[in-house]
Amino acid sequence: MAEKTRVGVLISGRGSNLKALIDAQGDDCPYEVALVVSNVEDAPGLDFARQAGIATFARNHKGLKRAEFDAIVDAELRAHGIKAVALAGYMRLLSPGFVEGWAGRMINIHPSLLPLYKGLDTHARAIEAGDARHGCSVHLVTAELDDGPVLAQAEVPILPDDTPDTLAERVLVEEHRLYPRALVELVRTL
Ligand code: GRF
């Protein structure tokens, strides 16, 4: 069995996508989540990493310039031999230097059918617009927020009675299927 690609996952909160990435790690999986980084020291998602015996690095970004904080994160990732990065609900804009350093090796999952609805409140905006379909996208991270080439998407219908919460739940099921698949595809290209 070839050596697995060591992946770092960056989170800020709940961590359900992190959990999906961890749960998908069977024998045939070409990646291994080897480090979980959080800019929120008590992010609930850190528990998924700890339960799985994965190294964590949690540090509040407050008081540091964006590039300074990102340099600390970058050093942690490199010290752990990380070769690819998956953002999973990481609620921080990244500095250009960090993005450049991981170009082609860093992906994000976003809850919309990009290029529609970059940014926040995607579910409410899709309902408000009267869209029939919504979903999630995995894309390579570039300097622009929620931009960069889309690698994979999954769609769900928007139902007449949907609220942002019910729609978010339906999309999240698809996120958890899509993200591990997209990460597998990414690491196979490295
Ligand atoms: C997900 O909806 C993801 O698409 C977005 O932030 C949310 C994170 O959820 N980027 P979780 O922390 O993975 O549960």
Side-chain angles (χ1 to χ4, degrees):
M1 175 93 211
E3 212 172 296
K4 291 177 187 271
T5 302
R6 293 171 68 79
V7 169
V9 181
L10 274 52
I11 67 167
S12 298
R14 173 177 67 176
S16 70
N17 278 288
L18 163 65
K19 181 175 187 303
L21 294 178
I22 294 170
D23 289 350
Q25 298 183 130
D27 286 348
D28 296 339
C29 181
Y31 72 79
E32 170 192 357
V33 178
L35 178 67
V36 174
V37 172
S38 176
N39 66 315
V40 176
E41 282 169 348
D42 59 354
L46 288 166
D47 286 340
F48 294 127
R50 294 189 185 112
Q51 281 157 20
I54 297 167
T56 60
F57 176 78
R59 166 135 186 203
N60 196 300
H61 56 268
K62 284 188 190 123
L64 292 171
K65 292 196 177 111
R66 190 175 302 284
E68 283 170 356
F69 182 75
D70 287 357
I72 292 169
V73 172
D74 188 68
E76 279 298 316
L77 292 167
R78 300 201 187 269
H80 282 82
I82 299 302
K83 298 287 186 263
V85 172
L87 307 180
Y90 189 61
M91 304 303 283
R92 290 276 299 163
L93 293 174
L94 297 167
S95 51
F98 185 88
V99 172
E100 183 59 33
W102 292 95
R105 298 175 165 267
M106 178 158 60
I107 56 176
N108 180 44
I109 185 152
H110 182 72
S112 79
L113 296 173
L114 290 172
L116 293 175
Y117 313 125
K118 297 174 182 178
L120 299 174
D121 300 324
T122 58
H123 309 299
R125 288 156 68 199
I127 292 172
E128 181 66 24
D131 293 353
R133 312 213 40 96
H134 187 45
C136 51
S137 307
V138 177
H139 65 94
L140 283 170
V141 176
T142 57
E144 294 294 314
L145 179 71
D146 300 329
D147 209 59
V150 171
L151 303 180
Q153 288 185 316
E155 286 192 17
V156 302
I158 298 182
L159 305 179
D161 291 341
D162 264 332
T163 64
D165 284 350
T166 59
L167 182 55
E169 237 174 83
R170 192 173 312 117
V171 171
L172 197 61
V173 171
E174 296 304 322
E175 291 186 37
H176 296 163
R177 290 192 187 122
L178 188 70
Y179 211 14
R181 288 209 313 260
L183 183 56
V184 165
E185 291 300 313
L186 174 76
V187 304
R188 288 204 167 121
T189 68
L190 299 179

